[in-house]
Structure formats: C-alpha cells, structure tokens
Amino acid sequence: MALNTAQAEILSRLSREQLLEFIDVLQKNWWNLQNNWMAYMSREYREEAALRGDSHCFGANAKVQVHRFKRMFALKDDLPSVMDALALSTIFANGEYEMWKIDPTRFRLRVTNCLQQVRRVEDGLGELACKPAGMAICEAAASTINPATRVTCVVCPPDAHPAGLWCEWEFELAR
C-alpha cells in the first residue's frame, strides 16, 4: 500500500461520508493540476503542442488507472467492467456525465457538463479541441479491460454540439 503511516492513521479515523468527500477532493485536485498544466502548455508551447501532450498523457494515465482498478476490483473483460472502470476513474470526474447500455454489446457515455470547458469559455479562451485526447483516453481505458472494444466518438469539441452536451462516446465489444 502506498499510504504512509500518517495518512493511514488519519484516513482510518474518517467516516464513510468523510472518505467519500476526501475522494472527491482528490479528484478535484487531480483535475486542477491537469487544467493548470494544459493552460501553461498552451501559453508556452501553443495549443497544438499542448493537445498532443494532453492526448499522450491522458491516454497513458487512463491505461494505468484502469489497469489498477481491473486488479483491485477483479474486473472481467465484459461491457459492465468497462463501464465500472470508467465510473471509478478520474477520467470523466471533471463534470457530469451519463452512461447507459444500448444493448448487450454497446454503451454510451455522454458528458453533459464539462467544468474545464465551461471555465475556458468563461475565461474567454474558447473551447478546447479535446477530441484527440478524449479518443486516446477512451481507447486506452477500454482496451485495458478488453482489447476488442471499439470506441467511436459521436461528438466532441472541436465538433459543433448542442448546449448541455460536450462530448459523447460509444463503446462496443466485438462479438
């Protein structure tokens, strides 16, 4: 276990609600780091380079997260395990999303509120063209559970999208 003694002692005293809040804060801290990294990289090296770095780092991070969850939760190579892995990870924890099964071999994940994109628009930076990073994330996460999973981007910036829908991804297990 990677917790040091002081962390383990503090966390062992927390209630279930406090532990859930702690997890929420950790996810927010992770996204804060990512948002600051992206803003810095865009400013220093231009957005194109930042997007390439984002795609690389996010894909690698998704693979590691899902690999760890696969072991920790004994996830199988089926569709529910892909869904569980995405729900457990920090990948889509930066906002609100819906996930639903279409049929036994397919499901969709739709981000309805992306805090990073909303903040960028509010700050006058415009939308981030995050489709390459999103594809890297989804493919890495899904293939870690089952390499036969195919990911399709339904919509993601820079694509035009309606209000209340930032991106949507379809995951399909080959028969």
Side-chain angles (χ1 to χ4, degrees):
M1 183 176 291
L3 293 176
N4 62 45
T5 303
Q7 289 173 319
E9 286 176 8
I10 293 167
L11 293 174
S12 69
R13 294 190 303 259
L14 299 181
S15 68
R16 178 183 185 278
E17 292 75 25
Q18 289 172 313
L19 283 170
L20 290 173
E21 185 176 350
F22 178 72
I23 293 166
D24 183 55
V25 169
L26 286 178
Q27 290 185 6
K28 287 175 181 169
N29 288 346
W30 186 87
W31 272 97
N32 177 273
L33 171 64
Q34 195 283 333
N35 293 341
N36 280 293
W37 180 89
M38 191 65 184
Y40 173 79
M41 294 298 290
S42 293
R43 198 172 44 252
E44 290 293 317
Y45 302 104
R46 302 187 52 105
E47 193 160 298
E48 298 79 26
L51 288 169
R52 284 193 309 276
D54 211 33
S55 295
H56 171 78
C57 292
F58 256 110
N61 180 271
K63 186 174 186 170
V64 169
Q65 283 190 46
V66 171
H67 176 75
R68 289 175 177 162
F69 292 141
K70 189 174 182 178
R71 278 192 330 221
M72 182 177 185
F73 295 101
L75 299 177
K76 298 174 179 39
D77 65 353
D78 57 7
L79 203 62
S81 291
V82 177
M83 295 174 80
D84 287 350
L86 290 170
L88 289 165
S89 75
T90 61
I91 296 166
F92 292 102
N94 190 33
E96 299 165 13
Y97 65 91
E98 312 165 339
M99 207 175 354
W100 70 96
K101 268 185 154 176
I102 297 170
D103 59 40
T105 63
R106 295 181 302 149
F107 76 91
R108 284 202 177 177
L109 187 150
R110 175 184 297 152
V111 176
T112 56
N113 183 20
C114 180
L115 300 177
Q116 180 180 20
Q117 293 283 28
V118 169
R119 180 63 185 262
R120 285 180 59 88
V121 171
E122 287 173 352
D123 290 348
L125 299 173
E127 292 181 9
L128 182 66
C130 57
K131 185 188 275 189
M135 186 58 80
I137 291 164
C138 292
E139 288 179 338
S143 69
T144 300
I145 295 292
N146 186 325
T149 307
R150 186 173 58 105
V151 178
T152 303
C153 178
V154 178
V155 65
C156 185
D159 301 340
H161 57 89
L165 169 60
W166 284 98
C167 64
E168 187 168 323
W169 307 91
E170 185 168 297
F171 298 78
E172 181 175 15
L173 279 179
R175 292 180 186 240

